[in-house]
Amino acid sequence: MKYVQVFVISLVLIFSACNSSKTDTLPEKVLGKLKVGFDIDDTVLFSRDNFLVAPHMSDDPDHLDYAWVNTHDSLHSVLIQPVADLIGFFKSHGHEVYFITARPGINGATLARHLSRELGFKVEKNIDLFFSPKRKDPKTGVKYTTKHEVIAQLGLHIFYGDADNDMVAACVAGVRGVRIVRDPRSVESYSSNYFGDTRSESGPDKPYKEADYQRFLTQGVGPYGETIFPIYQLSPNPSELSVPEK
Ligand SMILES: [Mg+2]
């Protein structure tokens, strides 16, 4: 009789083990949690004015004093509220939010504190804010984004950004890229690296004009196959886009 009891108990244990889901062994915090990344400039912050007034380190227009830039967002940059709301949506549902910028990291802790104040949660350099400047190919001299390396290391699922480089980084890292539409003032100031530069003379490397840009926005899909986050409403005058009222 005793052997029968042991046999029955063993059968029950084996049956229970076979029926338990494999996901039971995973840490609960992983289930359903997204890792979402955001670019900073013209994605989370409208920072055009910060860049326009920033001192230069040399005559090279790209050679900005980033030690100054990273400490002056509180004076010259404005939070892009629809994106802040989106970040709040992800955070409130328990998803992880990261920031990846092509700015150099000098004085980056100050930018982290500014984002903390603006977004209402703690942001820390090299914890959830990463500085990933472009690198130059020594053979061709071409500058290229390095954000894909951080996106891959973090294991992000989605990456939001305004620039063509952000979409390239998302593609190379193999994650979903979502395009944040640039403020029209930034489109005028920094047309390069945005939908192939719709403000320049057409050519094989710059095939899109204003009408093409409007078509991309209307259809909600960009040239890299990325989806477009509709921050700005189309206006009857296509050169003027406006942020929707809340
Ligand atoms: Mg940007």
Side-chain angles (χ1 to χ4, degrees):
M1 189 62 189
K2 189 176 177 182
Y3 292 116
V4 173
Q5 284 179 326
V6 169
F7 179 72
V8 170
I9 291 170
S10 299
L11 272 182
V12 168
L13 289 174
I14 292 169
F15 183 75
S16 301
C18 289
N19 268 328
S20 68
S21 166
K22 284 184 177 178
T23 55
D24 289 348
T25 60
L26 292 175
E28 194 174 355
K29 65 179 183 180
V30 172
L31 298 176
K33 182 181 279 190
L34 287 173
K35 291 186 170 187
V36 187
F38 289 84
D39 166 53
I40 297 290
D41 295 303
D42 275 320
T43 297
V44 177
L45 297 178
F46 172 58
S47 51
R48 181 200 64 161
D49 294 350
N50 199 25
F51 280 80
L52 287 182
V53 298
H56 286 72
M57 305 287 279
S58 73
D59 291 337
D60 181 346
D62 291 335
H63 200 189
L64 285 178
D65 182 352
Y66 278 96
W68 189 96
V69 170
N70 286 336
T71 53
H72 284 74
D73 287 291
S74 60
L75 291 178
H76 305 295
S77 298
V78 178
L79 185 69
I80 299 174
Q81 194 57 48
V83 177
D85 292 344
L86 178 65
I87 290 169
F89 166 75
F90 282 124
K91 292 287 283 186
S92 65
H93 282 80
H95 302 300
E96 294 178 14
V97 172
Y98 298 90
F99 303 95
I100 307 173
T101 176
R103 295 186 190 185
I106 184 165
N107 289 342
T110 307
L111 174 60
R113 283 196 295 276
H114 178 66
L115 290 173
S116 301
R117 282 192 300 270
E118 292 290 292
L119 295 170
F121 59 88
K122 192 170 187 181
V123 178
E124 293 178 273
K125 182 181 176 182
N126 295 334
I127 301 291
D128 44 16
L129 168 61
F130 296 90
F131 294 84
S132 187
K134 288 179 184 174
R135 226 176 270 139
K136 189 184 280 186
D137 185 318
K139 289 182 181 173
T140 63
V142 173
K143 283 186 174 178
Y144 61 92
T145 180
T146 60
K147 289 182 180 176
H148 61 284
E149 296 171 2
V150 183
I151 293 171
Q153 284 165 7
L154 290 172
L156 298 186
H157 300 103
I158 313 174
F159 187 65
Y160 290 81
D162 65 297
D164 292 350
N165 276 343
D166 293 319
M167 299 304 102
V168 169
C171 288
V172 173
V175 310
R176 173 180 286 272
V178 181
R179 180 87 73 151
I180 298 293
V181 177
R182 246 179 219 177
D183 186 292
R185 292 166 291 179
S186 291
V187 177
E188 292 306 323
S189 297
Y190 312 110
S191 61
S192 64
N193 194 21
Y194 188 65
F195 288 86
D197 196 348
T198 57
R199 296 297 187 271
S200 290
E201 288 295 311
S202 288
D205 59 334
K206 297 177 175 63
Y208 307 123
K209 305 305 293 179
E210 178 64 30
D212 302 305
Y213 176 50
Q214 295 300 325
R215 259 201 302 278
F216 282 128
L217 298 190
T218 305
Q219 300 299 319
V221 180
Y224 296 89
E226 75 274 22
T227 49
I228 296 174
F229 189 76
I231 293 178
Y232 299 100
Q233 292 176 335
L234 291 175
S235 134
N237 179 352
S239 65
E240 295 177 5
L241 302 174
S242 59
V243 182
E245 297 285 330
K246 288 204 76 183

